[in-house]
Amino acid sequence: MKTDYTKKLHAGAKFPEMEVKLLNGEVKNLATPDNGMDWKMVVVYRGRHCPLCTRYLNHLQDMTTALKEIGVDLIAVSSDSKEQLESHLEQLNVSFPLAYGLTVEQMEELGVYISDPRSPQETDHPFAEPGLFVINEQGTVQVADLSNNPFVRPELGALVNGLAWIRNPDNNYPIRGMHR
């Protein structure tokens, strides 16, 4: 078991240029906001095999309007295959982009925790544990949240409210957690 890797994206670090695929064949850069937004939220999820991920992604859909109102674009990504993502869509009701095929090297670059499946019935490849990054207009990590298990994730209502507060220029709120 590998336990010595500690590379994590720190608050204030440049978010890596990382390309991922959407089901329609389009390639997206995780760091680049779309849809006229200037910030980006990247949600890394475990995959189709995780019912908590399904619930979280469906709940995230409820936050899309509030995120758009504060200029935050959204994408979610997993290490699932194209076929696994297509199958997962039967359980999802989301309009934001879902990407697939995150590699172990990309997971390591993001600094997310990586797990092996417990059985072939769970999935057939190493997968990322939950991670969430919010990238500001300079391309740096404004918010980072990493978990080593499926049970701990940011509460979405509090996160979106916090981002609205951070984005309000009257608050002049800096990136937190800059000491390494």
Side-chain angles (χ1 to χ4, degrees):
M1 178 180 352
K2 186 175 182 178
T3 59
D4 60 349
Y5 81 93
T6 59
K7 182 179 180 184
K8 303 288 179 221
L9 282 178
H10 294 276
K14 181 84 171 153
F15 193 86
E17 298 292 319
M18 187 174 293
E19 292 185 339
V20 294
K21 286 185 183 177
L22 304 182
L23 286 177
N24 66 5
E26 190 176 353
V27 174
K28 291 281 188 184
N29 184 324
L30 286 181
T32 305
D34 291 315
N35 305 309
M37 313 288 170
D38 59 347
W39 281 32
K40 181 91 171 236
M41 180 185 293
V42 176
V43 176
V44 180
Y45 69 99
R46 300 173 85 225
R48 168 188 76 171
H49 68 276
C50 177
L52 296 172
C53 293
T54 301
R55 189 173 343 160
Y56 198 76
L57 292 172
N58 283 329
H59 183 50
L60 189 56
Q61 176 63 37
D62 299 336
M63 302 292 142
T64 56
T65 299
L67 287 168
K68 286 177 186 173
E69 288 173 358
I70 58 172
V72 178
D73 191 29
L74 173 62
I75 191 169
V77 62
S78 78
S79 60
D80 276 354
S81 67
K82 182 178 183 182
E83 295 76 22
Q84 288 167 322
L85 177 53
E86 287 171 337
S87 171
H88 196 192
L89 289 177
E90 296 170 10
Q91 302 169 333
L92 296 172
N93 184 24
V94 300
S95 61
F96 53 87
L98 297 171
Y100 67 92
L102 200 63
T103 67
V104 169
E105 293 77 23
Q106 288 172 315
M107 291 184 259
E108 288 174 344
E109 188 173 3
L110 291 172
V112 296
Y113 291 96
I114 303 168
S115 292
D116 290 322
R118 295 183 302 155
S119 71
Q121 290 73 37
E122 185 175 46
T123 192
D124 59 355
H125 54 80
F127 57 89
E129 293 295 343
L132 188 146
F133 303 94
V134 179
I135 305 142
N136 65 26
E137 67 274 2
Q138 283 88 36
T140 58
V141 177
Q142 183 80 30
V143 175
D145 186 90
L146 302 173
S147 178
N148 71 322
N149 68 76
F151 309 108
V152 179
R153 303 166 197 247
E155 195 281 311
L156 291 171
L159 174 63
V160 172
N161 288 337
L163 290 174
W165 198 86
I166 290 169
R167 301 255 15 223
N168 181 339
D170 294 339
N171 295 325
N172 194 28
Y173 197 75
I175 297 172
R176 307 311 301 172
M178 296 292 289
H179 291 271
R180 298 176 187 213

